[in-house]
C-alpha cells in the first residue's frame, strides 16, 4: 500500500501537463487502475483483513484523487502565470509623439469662400453628387444634342439591362444646385453651393473629381452690375489684395444670357505668379445672367424675377492663392504634401478672423 502511494504521488508530482495527469489518474484510480484491482482482491480476504484493508484502500484512493486535483490546480496557475508574463504590457510607457493633423487646402479654401459669401448675404445650399441628367443638363438649357454634353466628359452611372430611362450622371458641375435650390425656396434667393464635381479628364490641371462653388442671386432687379461688384468684393477678400483687377470677357454658356468669363490681372515675371499686377490675365470663373429657361425650369417666373449666377473652381483658386503648382497632388494623400500645404487645425479662415 505504501509502495502504491509513493509510486503514484511521485508520478502525480512529475506530471507536466493535464494529459499526463489524466494518464496517471487512469492508471491509479481508474476503473482498471491498480487501486481498483486491489479492491477486487478484497473478496478473497477474511472479514478481519477486509476490515483493515478496505478503509485503507479507500483512504489511498481519496489521497490520490486530491493529489491529482491539487496538481491540476497548480498546473493551471502556472499556465496563467506564464500567460501573464507573456502578455505583459507596461502601461506607464510614454505615448508615441503625436503628429498634429492638418486641414486640407480644399477644406480651408471652401471655408474661406463660404465665410466671404456669408458676409455678402449668401447662404450655403447643397445637392446630390449623383444627378439625373435632367438636373445636370436639360434644366440648365443643355438639351440632348447640345455639344456641351460631350465636352463635359460626363461619367454615366451603369444601368440595369432593359432600363431605358435616361441614366444618372456624376454631376459635371455644381450648376444643377441652382435648379434644386430654386425649387426648394423659390425667389428671391441668394446661395452658394460648394461641392464635388466629376469629369473624365486627367492632367496637370484636371482631375476626374474636383471642386466648384456655384453662386446664384435672384431678385426683381438684379443686374450684371451687382454680379461685377460681388465678384470683385469676393476676389479682394479672398486673395487679400486690394488692387485686384477683374476683366469681364464676353462668353457663352447655355444657362446664362449674357455670359461672361472673368479673368484676373496677373504677372508671370521671373516664372512666379503675382496677382493684381502685370499684363497677363488668368481665367478664374464663368458667370452671367440666369437664362429665362433656367428660371422656368426651377419654377421661378422669368417675367418677375431675374438674377446672376457664377461657377468657380475651388481647387483652382486654392492653387492661385497658395502657390500650388499641380492639381493632381491635391488628391494624392501624400503626407509630405499635406504637411507642407495643410493648415493648422482650428486656424480660422482669413476672413473669419476680421
Ligand atoms: N457650370 C460651368 C462649368 O462648370 C461654370 C459656370 C459658368 C457656372 C457660368 C455658372 C455660370 O453658374 O453662370 O464650366
Amino acid at each position: 500500500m505504501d509502495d502504491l502511494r509513493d509510486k503514484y504521488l511521485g508520478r502525480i508530482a512529475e506530471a507536466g501537463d493535464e494529459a499526463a495527469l489524466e494518464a496517471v489518474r487512469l492508471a491509479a484510480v481508474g476503473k482498471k487502475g491498480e487501486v481498483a484491482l486491489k479492491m477486487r482482491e478484497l473478496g478473497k480476504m477474511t472479514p478481519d483483513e477486509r476490515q483493515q484493508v478496505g478503509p485503507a484502500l479507500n483512504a489511498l484512493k481519496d489521497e490520490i484523487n486530491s493529489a491529482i486535483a491539487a496538481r491540476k490546480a497548480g498546473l493551471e496557475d502556472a499556465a496563467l502565470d506564464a500567460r501573464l508574463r507573456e502578455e505583459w504590457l507596461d502601461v506607464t510607457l510614454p505615448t508615441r509623439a503625436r503628429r498634429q493633423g492638418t486641414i486640407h487646402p480644399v477644406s480651408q479654401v471652401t471655408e474661406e469662400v463660404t465665410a466671404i459669401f456669408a458676409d455678402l448675404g449668401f447662404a450655403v445650399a447643397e445637392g446630390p453628387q449623383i444627378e439625373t441628367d435632367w438636373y445636370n443638363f436639360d434644366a440648365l438649357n443643355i438639351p440632348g444634342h447640345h455639344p456641351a454634353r460631350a465636352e463635359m466628359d460626363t461619367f454615366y452611372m451603369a444601368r440595369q439591362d432593359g432600363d431605358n430611362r435616361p441614366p444618372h450622371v456624376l454631376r459635371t458641375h455644381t450648376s444643377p444646385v441652382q435648379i434644386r435650390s430654386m425649387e426648394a425656396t423659390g425667389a428671391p434667393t441668394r446661395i452658394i453651393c460648394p461641392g464635388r464635381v466629376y469629369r473624365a479628364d486627367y492632367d496637370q490641371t484636371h482631375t476626374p473629381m474636383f471642386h466648384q462653388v456655384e453662386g446664384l442671386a435672384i431678385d426683381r432687379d438684379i443686374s450684371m452690375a451687382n454680379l461685377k461688384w460681388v465678384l470683385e468684393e469676393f476676389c479682394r477678400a479672398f486673395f487679400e489684395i486690394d488692387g485686384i483687377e477683374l476683366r469681364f470677357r464676353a462668353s457663352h454658356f447655355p444657362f446664362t444670357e449674357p455670359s461672361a468669363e472673368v479673368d484676373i490681372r496677373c504677372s508671370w515675371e521671373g516664372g512666379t505668379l503675382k496677382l493684381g499686377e502685370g499684363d497677363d490675365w488668368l481665367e478664374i470663373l464663368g458667370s452671367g445672367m440666369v437664362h429665362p429657361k433656367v428660371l422656368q425650369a426651377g419654377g421661378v417666373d422669368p417675367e418677375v424675377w431675374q438674377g446672376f449666377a457664377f461657377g468657380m473652381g475651388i481647387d483652382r483658386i486654392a492653387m492661385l492663392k497658395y502657390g500650388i503648382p499641380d492639381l493632381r497632388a491635391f488628391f494624392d494623400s501624400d503626407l509630405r504634401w499635406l504637411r507642407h500645404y495643410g493648415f493648422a487645425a482650428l486656424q480660422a479662415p482669413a476672413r473669419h478672423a476680421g
Side-chain angles (χ1 to χ4, degrees):
M1 196 92 69
D2 284 342
D3 288 350
L4 269 187
R5 172 189 292 108
D6 290 348
K7 175 171 155 192
Y8 284 110
L9 292 186
R11 282 174 62 178
I12 288 167
E14 278 162 22
D17 56 35
E18 271 192 55
L21 200 57
E22 177 64 5
V24 179
R25 192 186 69 79
L26 289 173
V29 297
K31 263 191 200 150
K32 291 176 185 163
E34 268 196 279
V35 177
L37 294 179
K38 287 268 176 255
M39 286 194 170
R40 257 178 242 170
E41 288 171 14
L42 287 175
K44 295 180 215 152
M45 292 180 189
T46 63
D48 275 355
E49 282 175 325
R50 208 178 299 146
Q51 208 138 59
Q52 268 206 335
V53 178
L57 276 176
N58 271 328
L60 177 60
K61 191 177 167 188
D62 288 347
E63 192 178 351
I64 289 175
N65 272 330
S66 54
I68 287 174
R71 179 72 186 137
K72 195 170 168 192
L75 285 174
E76 282 168 0
D77 282 353
L80 183 62
D81 281 348
R83 198 172 141 209
L84 287 174
R85 261 195 311 280
E86 188 84 343
E87 296 178 5
W88 179 84
L89 183 70
D90 184 354
V91 294
T92 67
L93 279 176
T95 55
R96 231 171 263 159
R98 241 253 224 128
R99 278 217 91 118
Q100 185 86 52
T102 59
I103 307 289
H104 194 283
V106 170
S107 304
Q108 175 77 11
V109 164
T110 302
E111 283 291 306
E112 291 174 10
V113 168
T114 305
I116 294 167
F117 278 108
D119 280 358
L120 296 170
F122 286 75
V124 171
E126 284 185 315
Q129 293 174 35
I130 297 173
E131 265 298 5
T132 64
D133 78 344
W134 187 81
Y135 279 105
N136 196 78
F137 295 121
D138 299 81
L140 291 163
N141 194 30
I142 312 174
H145 60 268
H146 199 283
R149 290 203 182 200
E151 276 162 29
M152 279 200 175
D153 303 307
T154 310
F155 284 114
Y156 289 90
M157 305 298 288
R159 269 182 310 192
Q160 297 215 308
D161 282 346
D163 185 350
N164 291 322
R165 289 172 299 179
H168 281 71
V169 301
L170 290 180
R171 69 179 179 194
T172 57
H173 49 181
T174 42
S175 302
V177 184
Q178 289 188 30
I179 308 296
R180 289 186 176 275
S181 83
M182 282 190 276
E183 283 177 341
T185 63
T189 188
R190 231 185 296 176
I191 55 111
I192 59 161
C193 165
R196 294 179 171 210
V197 299
Y198 303 83
R199 290 180 204 178
D201 206 352
Y202 188 73
D203 62 31
Q204 190 174 346
T205 51
H206 298 90
T207 49
M209 185 282 296
F210 59 105
H211 301 82
Q212 286 189 336
V213 56
E214 193 78 12
L216 176 70
I218 295 174
D219 214 322
R220 289 171 198 277
D221 53 6
I222 288 212
S223 73
M224 207 81 180
N226 300 125
L227 168 68
K228 189 161 183 283
W229 183 83
V230 163
L231 291 177
E232 279 171 354
E233 274 304 294
F234 167 77
C235 287
R236 220 189 316 277
F238 178 77
F239 292 109
E240 300 174 65
I241 298 171
D242 281 337
I244 212 94
E245 205 180 321
L246 299 185
R247 178 174 78 174
F248 284 68
R249 184 165 37 79
S251 182
H252 177 265
F253 298 103
F255 29 88
T256 45
E257 184 58 39
S259 304
E261 280 176 292
V262 176
D263 304 331
I264 192 164
R265 186 186 283 284
C266 69
S267 116
W268 284 103
E269 232 177 70
T272 50
L273 173 68
K274 281 217 186 83
L275 298 178
E277 56 188 76
D279 297 321
D280 278 320
W281 295 94
L282 199 70
E283 185 203 321
I284 57 163
L285 61 89
S287 65
M289 297 301 291
V290 181
H291 196 290
K293 284 189 179 168
V294 173
L295 293 172
Q296 231 154 20
V300 166
D301 183 356
E303 298 297 328
V304 182
W305 306 99
Q306 58 184 28
F308 66 73
F310 60 86
M312 187 159 47
I314 291 183
D315 323 84
R316 188 166 165 77
I317 60 172
M319 289 168 80
L320 293 176
K321 181 169 178 177
Y322 295 110
I324 301 170
D326 192 326
L327 176 67
R328 291 170 295 195
F330 274 80
F331 312 115
D332 282 347
S333 303
D334 182 330
L335 280 177
R336 293 161 303 176
W337 188 92
L338 290 168
R339 280 176 195 136
H340 182 77
Y341 287 109
F343 293 82
L346 304 180
Q347 181 177 321
R351 180 69 171 213
H352 266 330

